[in-house]
Amino acid sequence: MNQLNRYMRFLICLLYILLFLSCSKPYGQNNEITKIELASSGGWNFGTAIGIDSSLNYKYYDGNSKKNFAGKISAKLWDSINTRLEQIKFKTIPASDHKNIADATYFELIIYWKDSSRRITRVRDIKTDPVEDAFTWINDSHKSVKLHQVNYTFKFETTYQYPVVPPKPKIDQVRFPPPIKQ
């Protein structure tokens, strides 16, 4: 009986140790990405930019109103962003799709991790593409984040939030060729 008690104590201690070890490791996403910046413009959009970092800070620039907004996101959203970007294999996909479509939305994403970064550009096309879908999902994330307007400007490394509009010619610079005489 004495040996059985000793054996039971050993099992109970072992169970406590296993329980402690299983609780000490947090289950969750191993987020390698430290920051992302996404800019978009084109179509009917005057340009937007989003910056999100691993401290859960969220920055949003709305080119239509020329206003800046800031807020915080949940760890769950940050994990979802990391998962989505890992699913599209952000380190190995082509950096550009080399499309040129007049009335399309253009995306520029910069992903930062450790001591590296990667710039990926895409044009939203009619066809479905998982990379473009991920960019659109991140671009629409500002709708689900509680943001407040700030009176300072953000510094983004992206450039697509500033659409390039060709300058309009002045009337006196327009020249017409003389009529052709027959």
Side-chain angles (χ1 to χ4, degrees):
M1 192 68 158
N2 198 8
Q3 184 151 347
L4 184 61
N5 282 342
R6 200 175 310 150
Y7 185 69
M8 290 298 282
R9 284 185 197 151
F10 174 75
L11 280 176
I12 291 173
C13 286
L14 185 62
L15 286 173
Y16 276 126
I17 290 170
L18 289 174
L19 181 66
F20 176 74
L21 289 175
S22 68
C23 293
S24 65
K25 282 188 175 181
Y27 175 76
Q29 175 78 17
N30 182 16
N31 295 332
E32 182 181 13
I33 299 170
T34 56
K35 180 174 127 179
I36 66 165
E37 290 184 0
L38 176 72
S40 67
S41 66
W44 301 101
N45 184 0
F46 283 105
T48 61
I50 295 171
I52 311 170
D53 63 29
S54 58
S55 299
L56 309 180
N57 296 313
Y58 192 100
K59 301 182 293 186
Y60 176 67
Y61 167 73
D62 180 12
N64 293 322
S65 65
K66 306 272 192 260
K67 293 180 181 175
N68 293 291
F69 300 89
K72 286 283 208 182
I73 62 168
S74 66
K76 183 177 179 180
L77 179 58
W78 179 245
D79 290 345
S80 297
I81 291 169
N82 275 268
T83 301
R84 271 300 273 277
L85 294 175
E86 287 170 7
Q87 286 173 346
I88 64 169
K89 300 179 181 5
F90 70 91
K91 289 182 181 177
T92 58
I93 60 173
S96 176
D97 58 4
H98 302 289
K99 292 180 191 170
N100 192 3
I101 302 171
D103 267 347
T105 302
Y106 284 73
F107 291 109
E108 174 188 21
L109 177 70
I110 304 174
I111 304 170
Y112 301 88
W113 71 95
K114 293 183 187 174
D115 295 329
S116 295
S117 66
R118 181 131 195 262
R119 183 181 309 260
I120 304 167
T121 60
R122 289 291 184 275
V123 179
R124 184 74 179 165
D125 200 350
I126 295 172
K127 301 176 215 163
T128 58
D129 176 17
V131 176
E132 294 168 23
D133 292 343
F135 287 12
T136 302
W137 178 76
I138 294 170
N139 195 51
D140 292 340
S141 66
H142 71 277
K143 297 173 184 174
S144 63
V145 177
K146 186 176 180 182
L147 298 172
H148 60 278
Q149 187 177 345
V150 294
N151 293 328
Y152 50 89
T153 58
F154 299 125
K155 171 77 173 104
F156 291 104
E157 296 297 320
T158 56
T159 58
Y160 280 31
Q161 68 268 25
Y162 308 115
V164 178
V165 179
K168 294 181 182 176
K170 294 180 183 175
I171 293 295
D172 59 345
Q173 291 178 338
V174 177
R175 308 245 186 241
F176 296 100
I180 300 173
K181 295 181 183 180
Q182 294 180 350

